[in-house]
Amino acid sequence: MSERRSLYPPIEPFRTGRLRVSDLHEIAWAESGNPAGKPVVVLHGGPGGGSSPFLRQGHDPARYRVVTFDQRGCGLSTPHAELEGNTTWDLVADIERLREHLGIDRWQVVGGSWGSTLALAYAVTHAERVTEMVLRGLFTIRKAEIDWFYQHGASMIFPDRWQEYIAPIPEAERGDLVAAFYRRLTGNDPEVRRAAARAWSVWEGATLSLLPVPEREAAFGEDEFADAMARIECHYFVNRGFFPRDGWLIDEARKLSHLPVTMIHGRYDVVTPLDTALLLKQAMPDAQLLIIPDAGHWGMEPGIQDAMVRTTDAYAGLG
């Protein structure tokens, strides 16, 4: 077996900017790598997570023009943690606005976790603009997926961390934890909102990878990050991703069978279990599914890094 590869070295953007996408929202974007390279848009997770520097490192900077942006309400986009005018379809429209703004005809679409959801939603509505897709930690906001991580399932694997997660919610309200958190995250008491946001966000930060990463967990607990992450995630989950019905995105993925698609998923992904990737593989039989035997959900795990750079290198000459 060949030695595992790491992501490409850290890189700074060669251009940044802001784009007004509605009367309320403005998004921050960045371009990295080669201005004349193959275009790719990399979609961050959450929703509400904001772009991380490592998202610029999954592609060869000599061969790719890498576009990243902070989705509505998070990262450097404004207004912060705003829920109004913040839906999946608003974000899909933002991707198209950004593509046009940057003068790109077609591009590779890459997304991890919620980014994979958004990538699929974009592709099923704008397939003609997609050269290929690379999806990591597959997630489609089905009720079963939400229930697993936020109601019962992952709770049995991380029972100690689960107790910290549910602590802000009185026992009488724990029959629907997402709804209980939503009431607090959208309420008027700033202390209640802060405590709920931190519990929600740290639960995710503590369970992302096969092995613990204390620095990441601490970052997920910081007030500003946690507020956007928890409020926006919960908003999307209460509204089931703003999709017409449960399972809609998997059904629609059948339309993408003509596109080159690679899916990368950790065997021990507790946040978004492998089941979803297998269902998407059934919907897109020609897609490649890479199951990483010693990884969880995090895009920085060694096996996932290796699969990402090998996949994007292979796609560098296409489209």
Side-chain angles (χ1 to χ4, degrees):
M1 183 177 177
S2 60
E3 185 177 345
R4 278 181 166 173
R5 295 177 57 192
S6 299
L7 296 180
Y8 284 95
I11 186 172
E12 291 300 316
F14 64 77
R15 187 161 72 125
T16 62
R18 302 184 67 81
L19 181 63
R20 172 71 55 182
V21 291
S22 76
D23 291 341
L24 179 61
H25 289 277
E26 188 174 270
I27 61 171
W29 57 266
E31 289 187 280
S32 309
N34 182 353
K38 177 182 174 71
V40 53
V41 61
V42 184
L43 306 174
H44 69 69
S51 288
S52 300
F54 85 87
L55 297 180
R56 302 193 290 263
Q57 297 174 238
H59 295 76
D60 183 345
R63 295 195 284 177
Y64 278 96
R65 174 186 177 187
V66 181
V67 178
T68 54
F69 73 98
D70 292 327
Q71 296 158 27
R72 295 188 184 201
C74 63
L76 297 177
S77 295
T78 54
H80 185 74
E82 179 59 58
L83 304 183
E84 182 181 342
N86 197 339
T87 74
T88 303
W89 303 113
D90 291 316
L91 301 186
V92 166
D94 292 350
I95 298 171
E96 268 297 271
R97 287 189 186 94
L98 184 57
R99 181 190 62 77
E100 293 171 354
H101 178 71
L102 298 177
I104 294 170
D105 181 47
R106 300 171 71 227
W107 50 7
Q108 182 183 106
V109 181
V110 177
S113 192
W114 154 254
S116 74
T117 320
L118 184 58
L120 287 164
Y122 175 77
V124 299
T125 49
H126 298 285
E128 73 283 359
R129 299 300 179 187
V130 180
T131 54
E132 55 273 326
M133 302 179 73
V134 184
L135 308 173
R136 173 188 60 76
L138 283 297
F139 179 53
T140 64
I141 313 193
R142 290 176 299 138
K143 183 178 186 301
E145 295 169 71
I146 301 302
D147 287 350
W148 159 266
F149 191 63
Y150 293 102
Q151 190 63 44
H152 181 72
S155 57
M156 298 182 71
I157 300 174
F158 289 92
D160 48 343
R161 307 315 302 262
W162 181 259
Q163 292 305 314
E164 300 168 18
Y165 162 66
I166 63 175
I169 308 301
E171 196 163 343
E173 294 184 59
R174 291 178 184 173
D176 187 342
L177 285 164
V178 172
F181 269 98
Y182 190 67
R183 286 190 288 273
R184 286 156 179 80
L185 292 167
T186 56
N188 296 322
D189 186 325
E191 288 303 317
V192 169
R193 172 171 158 176
R194 186 176 297 111
R198 186 179 188 283
W200 177 286
S201 186
V202 168
W203 163 241
E204 184 167 338
T207 54
L208 279 175
S209 50
L210 191 61
L211 298 175
V213 181
E215 311 84 55
R216 182 192 63 220
E217 187 178 325
F220 272 60
E222 292 176 359
D223 285 348
E224 186 172 359
F225 179 88
D227 191 42
M229 183 78 146
R231 273 172 54 84
I232 297 173
E233 278 193 339
C234 203
H235 167 69
Y236 274 71
F237 298 164
V238 162
N239 288 287
R240 300 291 184 219
F242 302 92
F243 295 130
R245 66 179 184 280
D246 198 48
W248 179 85
L249 194 56
I250 293 174
D251 292 339
E252 290 294 301
R254 301 177 197 283
K255 297 177 180 178
L256 305 177
S257 57
H258 64 290
L259 289 175
V261 177
T262 298
M263 299 184 286
I264 302 167
H265 209 106
R267 167 70 70 184
Y268 298 105
D269 189 330
V270 172
V271 180
T272 62
L274 182 57
D275 170 73
T276 299
L278 291 174
L279 291 173
L280 282 163
K281 169 68 174 170
Q282 291 170 15
M284 300 181 289
D286 292 335
Q288 181 183 34
L289 173 58
L290 305 176
I291 299 173
I292 311 305
D294 57 350
H297 186 69
W298 196 30
M300 289 290 285
E301 295 192 71
I304 291 178
Q305 291 188 46
D306 177 71
M308 177 63 70
V309 297
R310 291 182 187 278
T311 297
T312 60
D313 278 4
Y315 283 145
L318 299 182

